[in-house]
Amino acid sequence: FDPPTLAAPSLSSSPSPSQLSSSHNTTTMAPSLKLFYFGFAGRAEITRMLLNYGDLEFEEQNFSFAEWGADWKAKMEGVAYGQVPVLEVDGKALSQSTAIERYVAKLAGLYPEDAWEAAKVDEAASLAYEVFD
């Protein structure tokens, strides 16, 4: 199996807030999603739960530690800061588990649009990370 050929994340090519709010609403076609991670729970498990809870179609590409060391780490170096999990969204790479989780929660309709309510969700999620890290 081969990882996708994806452009590395770039601040200069980041969409504007108005593009973000209109890019994935209920009237647009669902994006193509592919999750790259090891074959165990770890940092991708919350993303998996959100994808399944939201009944979002996705493909998963798992690999072992041996495969990561031998092949995948070098292939993903320019894609995701050399780290996983990575969520491929319509051929573009999104990395960092909390960013992926927020994105998927929005797709699943689980993330509030109200800024204060969203901040309170982030607060609770941050607390959970601090407790378990």
Side-chain angles (χ1 to χ4, degrees):
F1 44 58
D2 291 319
T5 304
L6 304 172
S10 168
L11 294 177
S12 62
S13 65
S14 297
S16 69
S18 63
Q19 290 171 318
L20 284 175
S21 63
S22 63
S23 63
H24 293 293
N25 59 38
T26 57
T27 60
T28 60
M29 193 168 106
S32 170
L33 303 171
K34 186 172 184 179
L35 182 63
F36 293 84
Y37 197 64
F38 300 104
F40 57 84
R43 295 282 184 187
E45 191 61 16
I46 294 172
T47 298
R48 287 186 191 105
M49 286 191 275
L50 290 166
L51 287 162
N52 285 302
Y53 184 83
D55 200 25
L56 298 167
E57 288 188 35
F58 71 102
E59 181 181 344
E60 189 163 0
Q61 180 67 64
N62 294 321
F63 37 84
S64 68
F65 282 118
E67 291 168 323
W68 173 254
D71 298 321
W72 282 85
K73 187 173 183 178
K75 291 177 182 177
M76 299 294 258
E77 191 74 28
V79 174
Y81 314 109
Q83 301 175 345
V84 288
V86 170
L87 182 67
E88 179 185 321
V89 181
D90 292 334
K92 300 175 285 189
L94 180 62
S95 61
Q96 299 301 313
S97 55
T98 53
I100 295 168
E101 292 158 9
R102 281 189 192 105
Y103 176 76
V104 172
K106 289 176 184 180
L107 289 179
L110 299 171
Y111 198 83
E113 290 188 30
D114 177 80
W116 177 253
E117 290 176 9
K120 295 303 281 184
V121 167
D122 291 342
E123 177 184 60
S126 295
L127 175 63
Y129 274 110
E130 289 177 13
V131 168
F132 295 108
D133 273 349

